[in-house]
């Protein structure tokens, strides 16, 4: 038996197997590096999803608050329009009216009208102050004759 030929044959097979093993080792290292990169990307994506979910929750909360405020403003506008309507219909100042419904406002307006109804006849110009007296040409002529001006 030729040991040298057998040795060379086994050495060649060994080198081929060693080359094949190194090829698989390189692939394994490459796959491991790709796996590490994929895990990092997955971690980053998970964090981004978590951040986005938190932001969505915050925005939904803010949206709910703003929606509530908007509903409240709409209710206040509707109530103000109702008060204005009752005030115009009854002749009572809108700032004096109290009540949540039209019936309550109308009832309160009627109460105010009866309570504040004038007890004596109203004299024209009674509420005017002296500086607001209507001008009269005869009165002005007499003041011109006898006034200190």
């Amino acid at each position: 038996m030729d040991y040298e030929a057998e040795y060379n044959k086994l050495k060649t097979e060994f080198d081929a197997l060693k080359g094949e093993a190194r090829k698989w080792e390189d692939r394994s290292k490459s796959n491991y590096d790709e796996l590490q990169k994929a895990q990092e990307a997955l971690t980053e994506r998970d964090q981004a999803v978590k951040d986005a979910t938190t932001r969505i929750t915050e925005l939904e909360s803010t949206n709910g608050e703003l929606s509530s405020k908007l509903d409240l403003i709409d209710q206040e506008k509707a109530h103000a329009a109702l008060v204005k309507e009752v005030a115009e219909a009854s002749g009572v100042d809108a700032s004096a009216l109290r009540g949540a419904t039209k019936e309550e406002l109308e009832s309160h307006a009627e109460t105010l009208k009866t309570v504040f109804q004038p007890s004596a006849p109203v004299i024209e110009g009674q509420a005017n102050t002296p500086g607001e007296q209507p001008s009269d040409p005869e009165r002005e002529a007499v003041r011109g004759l006898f006034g200190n001006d």
Side-chain angles (χ1 to χ4, degrees):
M1 192 173 193
D2 188 15
Y3 290 110
E4 191 175 330
E6 190 66 29
Y7 171 78
N8 287 338
K9 179 181 165 193
L10 288 175
K11 183 167 177 25
T12 306
E13 286 180 20
F14 176 75
D15 288 342
L17 288 174
K18 189 165 105 176
E20 190 68 23
R22 289 211 170 118
K23 179 175 84 173
W24 283 104
E25 181 182 1
D26 290 342
R27 285 182 182 173
S28 176
K29 287 180 181 178
S30 173
N31 286 343
Y32 181 75
D33 291 341
E34 289 177 16
L35 175 65
Q36 291 295 326
K37 289 177 186 175
Q39 285 178 335
E40 288 174 11
L42 184 61
T43 303
E44 289 175 6
R45 186 196 62 134
D46 287 346
Q47 184 61 40
V49 167
K50 189 177 181 181
D51 293 344
T53 302
T54 302
R55 183 68 177 141
I56 287 171
T57 303
E58 291 171 358
L59 291 174
E60 286 174 344
S61 174
T62 303
N63 187 29
E65 291 171 10
L66 292 176
S67 180
S68 297
K69 287 180 182 180
L70 185 59
D71 289 344
L72 184 61
I73 289 171
D74 288 343
Q75 289 174 355
E76 288 174 357
K77 277 185 174 181
H79 185 262
L82 187 62
V83 168
K84 182 180 177 185
E85 176 187 333
V86 171
E88 288 175 355
S90 64
V92 176
D93 188 1
S95 64
L97 291 176
R98 301 291 179 261
T101 64
K102 186 173 183 176
E103 292 77 24
E104 290 175 357
L105 290 168
E106 289 172 342
S107 172
H108 192 242
E110 290 302 318
T111 303
L112 290 176
K113 282 171 56 176
T114 58
V115 169
F116 292 107
Q117 188 174 23
S119 58
V122 177
I123 300 171
E124 188 69 33
Q126 182 178 12
N128 294 341
T129 60
E132 296 176 354
Q133 290 292 329
S135 64
D136 182 11
E138 294 174 2
R139 186 174 286 184
E140 295 298 323
V142 171
R143 279 198 187 143
L145 291 173
F146 300 109
N148 291 337
D149 294 337

